[in-house]
Amino acid sequence: MKAAPDTARPRWQRVLKRTASLILHQWLLIGMGIVCALAYCFPNVAKNGGIIRSEYSIMYGVIAIIFLISGLSIPRQKLISHALNWRLHLIVQVISFLFIPAVVLAIVHIILAADPGEKIDRAVLAGYIFTACIPTTIASNVVMTRSAGGDDAAALVEVLLANILGPFVTAAWTISLIPKMAVFDPWRFGGGSLGSMYKEVFQQLGLSVLLPLFIGQLVRWSWPDRTALVLQKTKLPKLATFCLLLLIWATFSSCFATGALQTLSAQSIVFVILFNIILYITLTAVCFFCSRPPRIFSSRRWSKPIFKRMSPEETIAVCFCGPAKSTALGIPLLYAMWQPVDLFLKAKTSVPVLLYTTEQICVAHFFVQLFRWWHARIVEKEDLDDSTREDVEIAMAEDTRGDHAGRVHEHTTV
């Protein structure tokens, strides 16, 4: 017996069903809007040092949950193989620590030349130079890569490498790139002590990333079949996506609590919002090109190892890791680097970090859908090519057997 078609239902039921479907598909964006509204109305709840002490409960606890899930989900062999993947490291880390700072520095100098009236706040420009020099984000890369069907083991390895290098690279690199102008003197000469920062950063990296990852891997190695069954039945990896909302909540709460965002000029806010979106999309395109360059680049024998196309799964990981920047490392590093600088000035400097890391999750949400569709097409094409190749091989084998039978028949007749 056939089910009744959807058009036979009352109109209000069809509208309700479509609305529910839209909410389910876009629940992350809707959730981001809700947590941003909560952060604006009640900033003291989840701000740094607030009621729930988000610097511990969220920056340690929530991130630890994400990497515990990653440790339970990822085979150990994949982590080891990606740790030895030099081309993966080269593309992601060069884009993160060299290409992005070069692009942002060029744009900052263009703005300085075109905006003598300082309509764009100079704290925002200093904040962008700092944002360009910090490493890729810790949590969202792995979550988005997994959701898009990419290689989350590759993303995890790059996250660990970048955040180990970050504390050593970011501080010196930022001070070197700050424009040598009087208006930027607070950021060039306002350096603080980095000793406590290194202690805090590596403590967080060890307790919220490395330890949960090790525990997850130990459980998976001890009970592989049971672990896979539990992950499949409980849909535990989806919990990691929900954890992103808590990170955004804490980030915006700290931003609204300082009042830095509210005091920026309208031109600065519009510039930051639009520039973040354009920059992230452009960097994602650059990462895709570097991961899967046109075949003409690998036509020579010497260029094949350099310009060899990555797998679709690795490409997705690169496209999420390369353009992203980390709030979890960026904010503590910013406040430690410029400890003697006025708190309000530091808060304004942090606005590019806060908004970029939030907008990158919004834009990445759409890229998840796009990369999922692209990955499905690539896999379907490869399956079709394999099927065609098998058909050709079978036909050739049949032709060979037919020729052999013909020769035998001819020989027998003679």
Side-chain angles (χ1 to χ4, degrees):
M1 184 177 179
K2 293 184 178 180
D6 192 60
T7 53
R9 295 181 180 180
R11 179 181 176 82
W12 68 270
Q13 287 188 3
R14 298 201 303 271
V15 172
L16 187 62
K17 182 180 178 181
R18 290 174 184 174
T19 304
S21 177
L22 176 64
I23 293 174
L24 287 174
H25 281 87
Q26 305 299 331
W27 71 270
L28 183 61
L29 290 180
I30 296 171
M32 289 175 67
I34 293 172
V35 297
C36 286
L38 290 174
Y40 180 78
C41 296
F42 311 102
N44 293 325
V45 176
K47 72 173 185 178
N48 190 26
I51 295 174
I52 66 169
R53 301 301 298 269
S54 62
E55 67 271 25
Y56 300 112
S57 61
I58 292 180
M59 292 305 173
Y60 278 83
V62 169
I63 293 177
I65 291 173
I66 291 174
F67 282 93
L68 177 63
I69 294 171
S70 297
L72 293 170
S73 306
I74 300 174
R76 185 175 68 259
Q77 294 79 4
K78 291 183 69 175
L79 290 176
I80 295 173
S81 66
H82 286 306
L84 303 176
N85 190 339
W86 64 268
R87 188 160 172 259
L88 178 69
H89 303 329
L90 187 65
I91 291 176
V92 174
Q93 306 308 329
V94 166
I95 288 176
S96 184
F97 288 119
L98 293 179
F99 182 78
I100 297 178
V103 170
V104 170
L105 184 63
I107 292 172
V108 165
H109 279 286
I110 291 172
I111 293 171
L112 290 173
D115 181 33
E118 299 189 11
K119 292 182 179 179
I120 304 299
D121 199 303
R122 283 354 185 199
V124 169
L125 299 183
Y128 264 116
I129 293 175
F130 172 78
T131 303
C133 297
I134 61 179
T136 188
T137 187
I138 293 177
S140 62
N141 288 341
V142 179
V143 176
M144 295 295 183
T145 300
R146 185 187 298 123
S147 299
D151 194 333
D152 50 352
L156 181 56
V157 168
E158 294 312 305
V159 162
L160 293 175
L161 179 60
N163 282 270
I164 290 172
L165 294 174
F168 301 104
V169 174
T170 300
W173 199 211
T174 301
I175 300 301
S176 301
L177 297 182
I178 290 288
K180 294 176 175 56
M181 301 171 63
V183 71
F184 289 99
D185 283 350
W187 293 278
R188 286 199 297 127
F189 301 114
S193 173
L194 296 180
S196 60
M197 180 273 299
Y198 285 123
K199 179 183 177 182
E200 181 179 345
V201 166
F202 285 110
Q203 177 180 300
Q204 180 180 5
L205 192 65
L207 294 178
S208 64
V209 177
L210 295 177
L211 182 60
L213 180 64
F214 173 76
I215 293 173
Q217 284 285 289
L218 186 63
V219 171
R220 182 183 176 90
W221 181 66
S222 302
W223 304 282
D225 296 334
R226 191 176 300 176
T227 302
L229 183 63
V230 170
L231 288 173
Q232 183 181 2
K233 286 189 173 183
T234 60
K235 306 290 184 183
L236 197 59
K238 292 187 179 296
L239 177 63
T241 308
F242 174 76
C243 290
L244 291 180
L245 295 178
L246 299 178
L247 291 173
I248 295 169
W249 180 37
T251 299
F252 266 93
S253 294
S254 298
C255 186
F256 287 129
T258 60
L261 191 61
Q262 298 92 310
T263 57
L264 287 177
S265 65
Q267 293 93 331
S268 296
I269 294 295
V270 171
F271 166 74
V272 169
I273 292 174
L274 295 180
F275 179 64
N276 287 344
I277 295 174
I278 295 171
L279 180 63
Y280 187 83
I281 293 174
T282 303
L283 293 175
T284 302
V286 170
C287 290
F288 187 86
F289 175 84
C290 293
S291 303
R292 295 179 71 85
R295 296 191 184 279
I296 190 172
F297 284 88
S298 58
S299 58
R300 304 277 184 178
R301 181 179 298 177
W302 61 269
S303 64
K304 282 184 179 180
I306 301 174
F307 296 105
K308 181 183 177 182
R309 286 188 162 193
M310 288 185 169
S311 68
E313 294 78 13
E314 289 180 351
T315 300
I316 293 172
V318 170
C319 288
F320 282 117
C321 290
K325 294 297 178 179
S326 171
T327 305
L329 177 63
I331 297 302
L333 186 57
L334 185 149
Y335 278 80
M337 279 178 56
W338 290 307
Q339 190 174 2
V341 176
D342 178 68
L343 178 62
F344 181 69
L345 193 60
K346 284 188 289 191
K348 286 204 296 184
T349 308
S350 70
V351 168
V353 186
L354 296 171
L355 290 186
Y356 183 83
T357 53
T358 303
E359 288 182 74
Q360 78 187 10
I361 296 176
C362 291
V363 180
H365 175 70
F366 292 101
F367 276 128
V368 165
Q369 314 300 325
L370 180 62
F371 280 123
R372 189 182 293 164
W373 170 80
W374 173 74
H375 181 255
R377 280 196 62 191
I378 294 291
V379 171
E380 183 180 352
K381 183 180 178 182
E382 290 176 351
D383 291 343
L384 185 62
D385 291 343
D386 291 341
S387 177
T388 304
R389 194 179 300 112
E390 289 177 2
D391 291 342
V392 171
E393 291 174 354
I394 292 172
M396 291 176 64
E398 290 178 350
D399 290 343
T400 303
R401 286 196 297 269
D403 292 341
H404 178 70
R407 285 195 297 270
V408 171
H409 178 70
E410 181 181 354
H411 178 72
T412 305
T413 304
V414 172

